[in-house]
Amino acid sequence: MRTEVCIIGGGPSGLLIGQLLHRAGIATTIIERQSREHVLGRIRAGVLENGTCNMLEEAGVGDRLAREGFEHEGAFIAAAGRKFRIDFKHYTKKNVTVYGQTELTADLYCARDSAGLNTIHNVEGVILHEVTSDTTYVTFVKDGYEQRIECDFIIGCDGFHGVSRPTIPTGVRKEFEQVYPFGWLGILSETPPVSEELIYANHERGFALCSMRNEKLSRYYVQTSLNDKVEHWSDKRFWEELKRRLPEEPADILVTGPSIEKSIAPLRSFICEPMQWGKLFLVGDAAHIVPPTGAKGLNLAVSDVHYLSKALISFYKGEEKYMINNYSAKALERVWKASRFSWWMTTTLHHFPDYGDFGQRMQEAEIAYLEGSRAAQAVLAENYVGLPY
Ligand code: RFL
Ligand code: PHB
């Protein structure tokens, strides 16, 4: 088999760059380790930056998002028994949109199907070959048979545990990592959201987040210890704990119900440099992970897609090689800034077991400063709605 660009991973990054390249007349093949049902069953991100929505529109998959997405002009920070609002619109003239990653991925699969593009699911044993030569190819096993795809470029969109990043030799690759001493337990429930806008809550028992997917579907998270297991968390225990971490007003009106999904995710910050090597480019979670507190993971994947799609389209038009050679440097500038914001949101709002009294008071002072300072609120708003590309 031959294609121009072989994309490893059929999550949001792989699907979106595949769609943008297709619209520019560039042939792509996507190979994905899981079944489509598995990919579409993962409950993940929920908050899209303005730039992400624009990119989806540019890719021709923005119609349902425009109809069904919810525009949010602000969010609440809760601490010390009360809450205050950060007005994104006021400080930035921009908003964010609540639209599930699951929906976005479904829209992208729909577009790929209508265009009749090649997507191969349930592949095993993916190996990248000759990445620094002109005879680059990828092999994999499908239904017991080894297959080979020859290509000009490989895009590694295979997430944090994928095979693309480890293909870059350790002498070339430098990884930066911070693992946080806690995780997030998240549930999805068919109940009306407790608030029209998200609530990020700091509490001495641990962080909590009230989010949503639509008027009838809520998404809630509580900070848990690293060795906690989902089996330890009955729905009853979850709701009680969430209520204890919220100020009285939202806690009193919180509607509870059975969870329809429950999972625990560890939190880490991770960045790999460079994000390209020879004919291989890394995009999204394959290159970097942010803790979910700033809602940046998917949005960063989309800004990578922006830089790389522009660079490849310019290359195939025969314009110049500068943009593809400069992809990593360009993408990393934004990755580091969004990672700083996610790290700041995480350290400001979570309970750290080893903070001690001084650390605890510093955190309280940081939140009180945020409540009283327009400058501090403007910084949060500017980062939350997304830094410009
Ligand atoms: P994905 O989504 O991990 O997709 C990678 C795909 O590659 C496949 N794969 C392989 N395919 C072939 N061969 C191999 N060897 C392969 N190895 C892996 C996988 O099966 C998979 O289908 O990465 P991608 O596309 O870069 O997308 C990244 C986003 O999924 C991620 O950043 C966000 O979900 C992060 N995130 C959030 N981001 C936001 O922008 N806003 C949010 O509100 C937000 N909330 C969240 C989140 C992530 C969370 N978890 C569970 C980590 C909330 C949570 C709880
Ligand atoms: C979500 O709705 O899943 C969500 C929202 C905001 C975050 C993280 C996750 O910061």
Side-chain angles (χ1 to χ4, degrees):
M1 222 182 305
R2 153 126 206 119
T3 189
E4 288 177 308
V5 178
C6 179
I7 299 170
I8 307 179
S13 304
L15 292 163
L16 180 60
I17 199 156
Q19 176 71 6
L20 288 162
L21 295 181
H22 160 68
R23 283 167 76 90
I26 300 166
T28 62
T29 297
I30 295 183
I31 54 174
E32 163 61 51
R33 192 177 52 168
Q34 305 284 359
S35 68
R36 177 187 292 217
E37 294 66 41
H38 181 98
V39 174
L40 289 175
R42 292 192 292 230
I43 311 291
R44 285 187 170 180
V47 177
L48 308 184
E49 294 172 358
N50 222 237
T52 299
C53 296
N54 294 341
M55 284 288 287
L56 294 165
E57 201 186 316
E58 188 185 324
V61 289
D63 289 355
R64 193 160 73 100
L65 166 67
R67 277 197 317 274
E68 296 179 18
F70 293 86
E71 291 190 356
H72 284 210
E73 296 185 355
F76 293 97
I77 304 288
R82 36 176 226 286
K83 68 181 169 66
F84 57 95
R85 182 169 183 264
I86 312 277
D87 189 335
F88 304 148
K89 192 80 175 185
H90 169 76
Y91 289 112
T92 67
K93 312 223 172 344
K94 292 197 183 118
N95 54 262
V96 291
T97 302
V98 166
Y99 190 69
Q101 177 169 330
T102 321
E103 307 308 319
L104 185 156
T105 311
D107 295 344
L108 284 163
Y109 268 119
C110 240
R112 205 167 165 84
D113 289 347
S114 333
L117 305 178
N118 200 11
T119 314
I120 309 171
H121 281 273
N122 301 308
V123 304
E124 293 170 318
V126 175
I127 303 175
L128 291 67
H129 304 266
E130 298 291 334
V131 174
T132 54
S133 85
D134 285 333
T135 53
T136 303
Y137 65 98
V138 175
T139 56
F140 59 93
V141 175
K142 165 83 181 161
D143 298 332
Y145 295 98
E146 181 165 295
Q147 304 205 23
R148 171 182 169 123
I149 301 181
E150 285 158 19
C151 53
D152 302 333
F153 298 104
I154 302 172
I155 310 184
C157 298
D158 47 351
F160 184 64
H161 300 287
V163 292
S164 301
R165 189 178 66 253
T167 305
I168 304 179
T170 46
V172 176
R173 169 164 51 102
K174 182 156 172 52
E175 297 181 344
F176 302 82
E177 183 171 49
Q178 159 127 5
V179 176
Y180 300 91
F182 40 73
W184 276 20
L185 167 67
I187 70 155
L188 197 62
S189 79
E190 285 167 332
T191 51
V194 67
S195 159
E196 279 186 11
E197 293 178 334
L198 274 69
I199 305 175
Y200 287 87
N202 168 266
H203 193 275
E204 62 196 11
R205 294 181 65 87
F207 169 80
L209 170 62
C210 306
S211 182
M212 66 211 67
R213 292 293 175 270
N214 58 47
E215 305 99 324
K216 294 186 193 128
L217 196 56
S218 299
R219 180 82 169 143
Y220 296 105
Y221 297 95
V222 293
Q223 173 186 346
T224 54
S225 85
L226 270 181
N227 37 32
D228 239 317
K229 301 248 177 318
V230 174
E231 307 82 81
H232 301 156
W233 285 86
S234 63
D235 287 354
K236 183 167 175 289
R237 180 174 173 211
F238 181 89
W239 292 119
E240 279 171 8
E241 189 57 40
L242 177 63
K243 283 186 180 187
R244 289 173 87 164
R245 297 182 188 190
L246 296 175
E248 226 171 271
E249 183 260 295
D252 285 349
I253 58 165
L254 180 79
V255 180
T256 63
S259 65
I260 53 172
E261 196 264 356
K262 199 186 277 163
S263 53
I264 295 188
L267 266 66
R268 77 171 83 223
S269 294
F270 174 89
I271 300 177
C272 165
E273 288 188 348
M275 287 171 58
Q276 68 190 94
W277 182 60
K279 303 291 173 64
L280 168 66
F281 301 95
L282 301 180
V283 169
D285 280 16
H288 42 75
I289 295 287
V290 286
T293 328
K296 289 284 161 254
L298 175 61
N299 291 301
L300 264 188
V302 173
S303 61
D304 292 351
V305 166
H306 167 83
Y307 296 124
L308 185 58
S309 60
K310 293 274 177 291
L312 286 171
I313 291 168
S314 131
F315 172 83
Y316 277 102
K317 277 190 190 154
E319 285 172 3
E320 31 129 329
K321 275 194 172 171
Y322 170 75
M323 279 172 81
I324 49 172
N325 292 338
N326 199 42
Y327 161 69
S328 174
K330 193 80 196 150
L332 279 167
E333 263 181 50
R334 195 170 187 280
V335 166
W336 276 107
K337 288 179 190 163
S339 299
R340 183 208 68 80
F341 175 66
S342 305
W343 162 84
W344 176 81
M345 282 282 276
T346 303
T347 49
T348 302
L349 294 173
H350 287 73
H351 178 73
F352 281 72
D354 57 354
Y355 253 17
D357 290 347
F358 181 79
Q360 181 62 34
R361 288 297 180 94
M362 279 294 119
Q363 199 177 53
E364 287 166 18
E366 177 92 41
I367 297 171
Y369 174 63
L370 179 63
E371 182 172 7
S373 161
R374 294 168 63 83
Q377 294 193 8
V379 169
L380 192 155
E382 177 179 58
N383 281 277
Y384 197 90
V385 301
L387 297 175
Y389 289 176

